[in-house]
Structures are given as structure tokens and as C-alpha cells.
């Protein structure tokens, strides 16, 4: 349905992109602002190729904030930082595309970017306020395939911007370029974007920024348990970038974090340094059985039921079958049993599961068959993924 924007422009149907959740890598969680440059990012791209992550589906390479020169050019256009990105963003994007990636960039709707506010990045007028058409044209000319558009207190500095109008402005500008660009809306869940952002974007942040700790993972899970029905092909609840492989999470917590995002049908944007990641992290991030659940074309996110204090059961329908994820948020291990055609906890049947279902590996092991009276121990902050689809 067409909608009339505030300035009278007709808002068309958004481009039919992101029919499954986008997968890729984003520079922010690992390198933040001042630690990015074109040579380092190309090393990261090569590591994503060499590690098998690109082949596994992580094909969107997103350069977050601080790629910009401190000021726009005399023509008003954004420019690459001349010292850290001497080749320019179009050339860097071409290098990424030559390796098989889609090219993603960062922008913001106000006068400032987030790094200008929180990292003292010494820029001037790097936000897109009043220049949405010009910036969209620039991104399209550079070959950008993905835009992360980050609120960053866009209503300050006299802009008087409001949600969702600020994001509609860039949606219209991107559509006008004629280039298919996946549009990622980031306003941290402040205005329940799952209720409106699907008209403009292909994914929308649901919570404040993820932190490198277990409490943050649990908090995001609690939000997604309430909004799972507001997501699907072409428009996804974005649980924020992955912290898998960064300090702060144990191996069990990292595995649960990744499995939850797969069951959420959330975009998977790795945020670690693939140049230095260990083999266990590589195996987890390229776990094809969990990635198939994330990318299932039915696109229905898992629903959640608390089966005991600190123990959640996530259930996700698939095109062929069903998948379950038991998450132990408690501080002690728990045992799960299979009997009488169902999984049970504390002698209570909690979900019927076909006998042909399998326990899915987390770090690259082989799937385990289910049999009567099988018992599995889930460590504190760990999880148990189960699928009735036979992955070959």
C-alpha cells in the first residue's frame, strides 16, 4: 500500500529484499571507531573467506561509524577519511565485492553520528539531516548494498526529527535511487519499531546495544520472547550484532547466544575479529545446522515458554519439521530426558518430539540420535538444540 509521506512524496512498497535474515560481519563490536582502516578491513575480509564464513553465508560486510572524513566535501557529499581510507569507499566496496561480499555502510538521520556523540569523533555535519537524497545518491553510486541507519539522538541540534519520520526520509531517498539496498533501522527498540518499521526497512533493532556479558544476552532474549510474531520474510527483528568470539562470554554462553539468535530468526552480524578467532568460535559461527534454522525460508521466529524458573523452551516451526531450543539461564546444570515421545524436565513432559529428531551439535560434533530414556545435561547458561529435520 502506498503511503503519503510528510512532505507529500509517495512511499512505495519497499524493495523485496532480505527474504531470509541477513548474515554478515560488522566492524563496531570488535574495532569500534578509531581502530578501522582499509588495509585492516581487507585483512578481515580475507579471513572471512579463508575461515569459511563467507561460504557459510556471512556475505554482507558492514563498515560501521568512523569511516567518514571529518567534514563533507565542497559539494556537500560525504567523503572517506583520507588517511585511513585513502582509496575511497567506492574502491573499498569494489574490493569487497571482488571477494564475494555485499558492501554495507553506516549512516545516521540527525546532524551527528553516534561516534561524534559518544567517542568524540571530531566530525561536523556527518549525519544525513537535510541531505538524505544526496547521501542516498552517494551510497548508490558507491555500490552500497546495505545501509545501517542509526538514530544517535537525531532529534537534537534543532532538527526536531521524530520517529518514524526520520527513517521514512531515508527510505524514500533510497527508493528514489533505484538501487536495491537493504535498509537496517536502528533506534534501539525505543518506539516498538516492530510495529512500524516493516513499512520502511528490512530489519530493525529491538533493544539497546548488546554488551559483552550474559546478562545482556538474557535481557535481549526476554524482549524477543514477547515480539516473535512481528518478524518474517523481508522484515526482521534485529537482536543486534553478535558478541560471539569477543571477551566476556564463556563458551557455553557464546553457544547459547548464537543458538538463540538463530531461533529468533535474527540477522546474524558477526562482530569478532576473524583474523584471530579460535577453531571453536569458527565452528560455532559456521554451524550449518543452526544456520539452516536461522535461514529457514518459512521465516517464523521461535516462540518461548518458561518451563521452570530459569529454564526456557523455544519452539520454531520450519518448512520441513520443527526445532526446539532449551535454554538453562540458571546457575546450576539441569537434566533433560526423552520418554514417551516427548522431552521432559523434572519428570514433566514439556514438548512432543518425534523419535527421528536429533540433538544438534554446537561446536561441530556429529548430531546425536534420540532414544527412549535418553538424558542430556545442560550446563549453567548452556542450551540444548533439537531438530526433527534430518540435515544431510
Amino acid at each position: 500500500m502506498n503511503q503519503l509521506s510528510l512532505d507529500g512524496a509517495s512511499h512505495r512498497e519497499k524493495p523485496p529484499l532480505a527474504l531470509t535474515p541477513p548474515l554478515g560481519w560488522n566492524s563496531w563490536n570488535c574495532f569500534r571507531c578509531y581502530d578501522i582502516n582499509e588495509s585492516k578491513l581487507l585483512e578481515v575480509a580475507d579471513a572471512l573467506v579463508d575461515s569459511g564464513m563467507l561460504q557459510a553465508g556471512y556475505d554482507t560486510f558492514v563498515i560501521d561509524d568512523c569511516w567518514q572524513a571529518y567534514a563533507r566535501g565542497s559539494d556537500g557529499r560525504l567523503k572517506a577519511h583520507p588517511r585511513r581510507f585513502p582509496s575511497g569507499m567506492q574502491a573499498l566496496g569494489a574490493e569487497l565485492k571482488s571477494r564475494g561480499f555485499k558492501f554495507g555502510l553506516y549512516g545516521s538521520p540527525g546532524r551527528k553520528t553516534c561516534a561524534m556523540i559518544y567517542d568524540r569523533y571530531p566530525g561536523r555535519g556527518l549525519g544525513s539531516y537535510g541531505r538524505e537524497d544526496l547521501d542516498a545518491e552517494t551510497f548508490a553510486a558507491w555500490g552500497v548494498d546495505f545501509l545501517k541507519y542509526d538514530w544517535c539522538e537525531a532529534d537534537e541540534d534543532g532538527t526536531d526529527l521524530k520517529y518514524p519520520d526520520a527513517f521514512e526520509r531515508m527510505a524514500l531517498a533510497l527508493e528514489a535511487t533505484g538501487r536495491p539496498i537493504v535498509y537496517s533501522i536502528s533506534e534501539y527498540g525505543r518506539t516498538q519499531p516492530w510495529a512500524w518499521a516493516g513499512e520502511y526497512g528490512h530489519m530493525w533493532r529491538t533493544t539497546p546495544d548488546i554488551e559483552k556479558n550474559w546478562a545482556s544476552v538474557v535481557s535481549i532474549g526476554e524482549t524477543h520472547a514477547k515480539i516473535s510474531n512481528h518478524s518474517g520474510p523481508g522484515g526482521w527483528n534485529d537482536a543486534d550484532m553478535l558478541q560471539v568470539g569477543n571477551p566476556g562470554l564463556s563458551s557455553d554462553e557464546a553457544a547459547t547466544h548464537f543458538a538463540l539468535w538463530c531461533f529468533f530468526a535474527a540477522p546474524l552480524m558477526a562482530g569478532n575479529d576473524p583474523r584471530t578467532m579460535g577453531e571453536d568460535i569458527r565452528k560455532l559461527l559456521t554451524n550449518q545446522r543452526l544456520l539452516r534454522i536461522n535461514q529457514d525460508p518459512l521465516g517464523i521466529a521461535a516462540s518461548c515458554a518458561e518451563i521452570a524458573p530459569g529454564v526456557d523452551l523455544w519452539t520454531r516451526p520450519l518448512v520441513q519439521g520443527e526445532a526446539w531450543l532449551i535454554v538453562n539461564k540458571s546457575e546450576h546444570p539441569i537434566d533433560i530426558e526423552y520418554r514417551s515421545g516427548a522431552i521432559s524436565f523434572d519428570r514433566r513432559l514439556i514438548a512432543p518430539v518425534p523419535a527421528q529428531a536429533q540433538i544438534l551439535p554446537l561446536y561441530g560434533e556429529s548430531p546425536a540420535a534420540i532414544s527412549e530414556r535418553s538424558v542430556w545435561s545442560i550446563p549453567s547458561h548452556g542450551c540444548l538444540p533439537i531438530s526433527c529435520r534430518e540435515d544431510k
Side-chain angles (χ1 to χ4, degrees), residues 16-228:
L17 304 171
L19 299 183
T20 58
L23 272 65
W25 181 87
N26 181 291
S27 62
W28 187 256
N29 282 354
C30 181
F31 298 119
R32 203 166 173 101
C33 177
Y34 295 99
D35 202 22
I36 57 171
N37 59 62
E38 69 179 53
S39 61
K40 178 179 290 186
L41 293 180
L42 289 176
E43 289 176 4
V44 168
D46 290 336
L48 290 170
V49 174
D50 294 341
S51 66
M53 286 186 65
L54 174 61
Q55 185 177 7
Y58 295 87
D59 63 357
T60 301
F61 194 104
V62 183
I63 303 170
D64 211 287
D65 204 354
C66 303
W67 61 265
Q68 312 92 329
Y70 296 148
R72 291 171 177 263
S74 58
D75 58 359
R77 293 184 182 271
L78 291 166
K79 302 187 299 180
H81 190 283
R83 179 173 54 82
R84 290 186 286 122
F85 296 93
S87 301
M89 304 316 290
Q90 184 172 8
L92 180 54
E95 286 286 344
L96 293 170
K97 290 171 184 287
S98 73
R99 289 160 169 79
F101 293 99
K102 299 170 186 173
F103 177 31
L105 268 187
Y106 169 98
S108 55
R111 298 187 190 276
K112 297 178 180 178
T113 71
C114 276
M116 292 169 65
I117 300 171
Y118 303 110
D119 292 71
R120 299 183 178 180
Y121 194 68
R124 301 187 307 276
L126 301 184
S128 293
Y129 176 71
R131 296 185 173 99
E132 291 87 356
D133 289 337
L134 180 64
D135 288 354
E137 291 170 7
T138 301
F139 297 148
W142 288 349
V144 168
D145 304 299
F146 179 104
L147 177 65
K148 175 184 173 181
Y149 207 51
D150 202 4
W151 174 253
C152 302
E153 313 310 333
D155 54 347
E156 297 181 354
D157 301 312
T159 68
D160 198 33
L161 287 173
K162 294 179 174 60
Y163 312 94
D165 306 328
F167 293 98
E168 182 190 31
R169 290 175 183 233
M170 183 54 77
L172 289 166
L174 292 174
E175 289 169 6
T177 70
R179 181 173 180 79
I181 298 176
V182 173
Y183 184 31
S184 172
I185 291 174
S186 179
E187 57 79 84
Y188 333 117
R190 293 177 180 176
T191 63
Q192 300 183 353
W194 47 87
W196 58 262
E199 185 169 357
Y200 310 109
H202 302 94
M203 50 191 277
W204 43 86
R205 279 280 303 282
T206 56
T207 66
D209 291 354
I210 188 172
E211 299 177 9
K212 299 175 183 179
N213 59 62
W214 173 246
S216 182
V217 171
V218 170
S219 177
I220 292 172
E222 290 171 351
T223 295
H224 277 249
K226 302 171 185 175
I227 61 172
S228 60

Side-chain angles (χ1 to χ4, degrees), residues 291-304:
L291 289 173
R292 285 175 192 149
I293 291 173
N294 176 264
Q295 294 289 293
D296 187 79
L298 189 61
I300 298 177
S303 58
C304 180

